[in-house]
Amino acid sequence: MYDLFKKYTVVSWGEFVRRVIRDDACIEETDKMLVRDFLGVHQSTPEGIGITRVSGKKDKNGNRLGLFDEGELLWHSNEAGNLIFTPGVALLAAENVIGSSTGFLQTADYYESISEVFRSELDEMVLLHRYTPGKLNPGLRDDLARTNMCPVDDAEIPIVIQSPGGIKGLHYPVNTVHGIRGMSKKDSDKVFEEINKHLFLDKYIFDHWYKNKGDLLLFDNSITLHRRFRECSKPLVLSYST
Ligand SMILES: [Fe+2]
């Protein structure tokens, strides 16, 4: 958004979208496509609040209606590699959700469990993020999710942060985590291996298996990862970031 605002000297997203809708000749076609794709996976509440569809559904012309493709969504945080990521997310189960789950991995207990030496190393550590197609949602090979997850390669975010609830943990969204500032890729991967071995354990995971259409999940997106586990027929969940 920042790049688009600068490029076209607009002051709001709404103004930019209106210019795209009226097919403003001053806006390049690739930028128009980006906005049209973005609008295609969003809908508004009656109050005008924008929400994102999490679904692999398509309309009768084959146009995507949701941000992702069908299949599992692997561990991630929303806007994972963006310094101004949203701290909280709400999910509303809208269609065909029974038989699938959204799972959560909390990192606070892991952070408390490690040695003081390693904890102080993590306290100083800055991660480099990159978006890799297919790493979050194996079936998704296009780039719309890049704008949400990590629009700029090698974005830097500290690994240890405090959640809005005041709890220290890891901002460690493995879908975009790529390296550690000041370390080779090989050494970074060794550190990630060590973290992964002790973090991705059942004791830190809670899977919510949807029981009803209308289930509402509210969760921290700063030091918590989430995933969609197992696929059922074209589930649709509405996502609101706050
Ligand atoms: Fe998500």
Side-chain angles (χ1 to χ4, degrees):
M1 277 186 194
Y2 175 72
D3 286 342
L4 292 170
F5 283 18
K6 241 185 2 181
K7 190 167 167 183
Y8 298 108
T9 53
V10 291
V11 294
S12 73
W13 179 246
E15 181 194 346
F16 187 64
V17 168
R18 281 192 292 278
R19 282 179 61 180
V20 171
I21 289 171
R22 64 168 189 263
D23 209 11
D24 187 326
C26 298
I27 297 174
E28 287 175 27
E29 206 48 42
T30 48
D31 292 333
K32 284 181 186 163
M33 285 296 293
L34 185 73
V35 173
R36 287 181 190 128
D37 277 352
F38 179 85
L39 293 177
V41 303
H42 285 78
Q43 64 187 60
S44 289
T45 66
E47 296 78 21
I49 294 169
I51 50 181
T52 309
R53 294 188 207 96
V54 179
S55 180
K57 277 182 74 166
K58 301 204 168 34
D59 69 14
K60 58 181 187 315
N61 298 318
N63 299 314
R64 63 194 297 174
L65 295 170
L67 184 58
F68 300 112
D69 207 332
E70 290 178 41
E72 291 189 345
L73 297 180
L74 307 178
W75 287 119
H76 69 283
S77 303
N78 292 2
E79 301 159 14
N82 187 331
L83 186 60
I84 53 166
F85 62 85
T86 189
V89 179
L91 293 179
L92 178 67
E95 283 173 23
N96 301 331
V97 289
I98 296 166
S100 73
S101 77
T102 298
F104 302 93
L105 172 80
Q106 61 93 357
T107 62
D109 288 347
Y110 164 80
Y111 177 71
E112 290 298 325
S113 77
I114 57 181
S115 71
E116 249 176 68
V117 175
F118 190 37
R119 195 158 47 234
S120 62
E121 279 178 34
L122 292 184
D123 285 341
E124 301 298 315
M125 194 176 279
V126 174
L127 297 185
L128 306 174
H129 294 257
R130 280 187 195 181
Y131 178 76
T132 308
K135 202 171 169 188
L136 188 169
N137 178 200
L140 185 71
R141 291 288 154 184
D142 67 31
D143 262 0
L144 182 59
R146 181 190 294 275
T147 59
N148 177 282
M149 288 296 161
C150 187
V152 179
D153 276 355
D154 295 324
E156 297 186 0
I157 306 178
I159 184 169
V160 176
I161 59 172
Q162 184 171 295
S163 76
I167 302 167
K168 252 179 154 185
L170 304 190
H171 184 69
Y172 184 62
V174 284
N175 63 309
T176 58
V177 166
H178 181 74
I180 297 169
R181 189 171 71 187
M183 259 191 214
S184 67
K185 179 77 178 110
K186 199 172 154 204
D187 288 347
S188 301
D189 286 343
K190 272 192 210 154
V191 175
F192 298 149
E193 231 175 80
E194 167 62 23
I195 295 174
N196 295 348
K197 197 162 71 185
H198 300 288
L199 176 63
F200 290 90
L201 302 178
D202 285 347
K203 62 181 176 179
Y204 300 137
I205 294 171
F206 165 71
D207 286 308
H208 173 80
W209 288 90
Y210 292 100
K211 302 247 175 6
N212 305 292
K213 180 179 161 184
D215 282 2
L216 177 66
L217 283 61
L218 308 171
F219 56 94
D220 166 78
N221 185 56
S222 61
I223 58 168
T224 308
L225 288 91
H226 58 284
R227 66 177 174 181
R228 180 171 72 197
F229 190 47
R230 286 204 198 148
E231 174 67 355
C232 56
S233 179
K234 302 199 187 329
L236 170 62
V237 174
L238 301 177
S239 171
Y240 173 61
S241 300
T242 185

